[in-house]
Amino acid sequence: MPANDVPSIRVLRVDDHARDAAGFTYVYPVVSRRAGGVSVGINLNPNNACNWRCVYCQVPDLTRGGPPPIALDQLEAELDAMLHDIVHGDFMTRSVPEGARRLNDVAFSGNGEPTMSPEFPQAVERVRHLLQRYDLLGRIKVVLITNGSQLYRARVQQALAALKTLNGEVWFKLDRAPQDGFSEVNQVQLNREAVARHLAAAAQGCPTWLQTCMFMREGRLPDEAEIQAYLDFVAAQLADGVKLEGVLLYGLARPSMQVEAPLLAAAPREWMQSVADRIAALGLAVRLSI
């Protein structure tokens, strides 16, 4: 694929993170509320498979499972073409609204848990190679958006160590305080001790933000007990010496594609701000996206 061979891309919107925006298999650009600009996504789960099934997930036809084998040469060629169009082409003026025309990061996100891919460490190295080529190394971030479930694996910890050298960040999903048992939000069995251990491993390996989605379900907001449990869990991690950069607190901006979608709605702005204020009172930075 020639480096400047990028299909025509419609104007991007914060409420549309379509993975096929560029016509590629693995690479897609988005305008991200949390990133505050353009994020170039890397989708290591093009089969729409994930080991979790969050009720607010915007992935259509989501299935349980892991990713297929990744064609690393194709991934690199797609990212090369995308970065060439951003750095040397007219991508920003052609496809990005004014006010968002800055490249913030390359993000491992996509349609499932990226760390499930055996090729994840190699993909990180391909990203390094291209950031060096385009003189972006250290000038933009490389972000891993993860549910943290695979942080115990040696290959994932190896990749985190590499990510740290790339001006990397981890965005670790923590929607509610983890309790032993089934999570209604993430539709998976959780173990509180394991979540705490994985979070500590993430923060030790790379600068780490919590990412937390709050929303209404069946017309009801999370109750006080849920919010206090979340705050207590975060405070306990800080007390244990886990270094966190802060919390990315966000609401529903795009519709869920899961069966629970009719039950979900965005939380009021004032309520979201009140939760942000309570998190900030723990001594953490909070970036609120509504």
Side-chain angles (χ1 to χ4, degrees), residues 228-243:
Q228 191 59 54
Y230 173 92
L231 294 170
D232 289 346
F233 178 81
V234 175
Q237 308 319 301
L238 296 174
D240 285 344
V242 178
K243 186 179 184 301

Side-chain angles (χ1 to χ4, degrees), residues 88-238:
H88 299 302
D90 62 351
F91 171 81
M92 290 294 187
T93 55
R94 190 178 77 242
S95 299
V96 181
E98 288 190 42
R101 290 173 180 168
R102 57 178 290 272
L103 176 60
N104 184 78
D105 60 66
V106 172
F108 287 93
S109 178
N111 290 2
E113 173 52 40
T115 62
M116 290 283 288
S117 171
E119 292 89 0
F120 175 54
Q122 295 97 312
V124 171
E125 288 306 311
R126 298 295 181 109
V127 170
R128 178 198 298 276
H129 172 69
L130 288 172
L131 293 185
Q132 288 175 328
R133 176 183 297 177
Y134 287 98
D135 194 26
L136 292 171
L137 195 61
R139 296 173 57 191
I140 66 171
K141 294 187 180 296
V142 180
V143 177
L144 168 64
I145 301 177
T146 178
N147 61 33
S149 62
Q150 306 299 300
L151 264 294
Y152 67 94
R153 295 187 183 277
R155 61 172 173 78
V156 177
Q157 293 180 12
Q158 170 196 346
L160 282 191
L163 201 69
K164 186 176 183 178
T165 69
L166 304 181
N167 194 26
E169 285 184 351
V170 174
W171 294 2
F172 189 106
K173 183 186 297 294
L174 186 77
D175 292 321
R176 303 293 184 271
Q179 308 295 338
D180 293 339
F182 186 73
S183 167
E184 292 290 343
V185 172
N186 306 124
Q187 296 287 294
V188 68
Q189 291 288 336
L190 290 178
N191 175 278
R192 182 184 177 93
E193 182 181 341
V195 174
R197 188 167 59 250
H198 296 163
L199 177 58
Q204 184 176 9
C206 202
T208 296
W209 290 76
L210 297 177
Q211 57 162 355
T212 298
C213 185
M214 293 285 181
F215 50 89
M216 298 179 70
R217 182 166 182 162
E218 297 184 80
R220 295 190 298 273
L221 291 163
D223 62 26
E224 175 59 23
E226 287 181 274
I227 299 301
Q228 191 59 54
Y230 173 92
L231 294 170
D232 289 346
F233 178 81
V234 175
Q237 308 319 301
L238 296 174

Side-chain angles (χ1 to χ4, degrees), residues 1-7 9 19-29 40-44 46 70-86 91 106 126-127 130 133-134:
M1 178 186 299
N4 60 353
D5 186 14
V6 177
I9 300 173
R19 308 305 195 229
D20 60 353
F24 294 145
T25 299
Y26 300 113
V27 173
Y28 61 99
V40 176
I42 296 180
N43 182 14
L44 298 183
I70 304 302
L72 289 166
D73 288 345
Q74 179 183 345
L75 185 158
E76 183 173 351
E78 292 179 2
L79 183 58
D80 187 8
M82 190 75 255
L83 291 177
H84 187 278
D85 197 27
I86 291 171
F91 171 81
V106 172
R126 298 295 181 109
V127 170
L130 288 172
R133 176 183 297 177
Y134 287 98

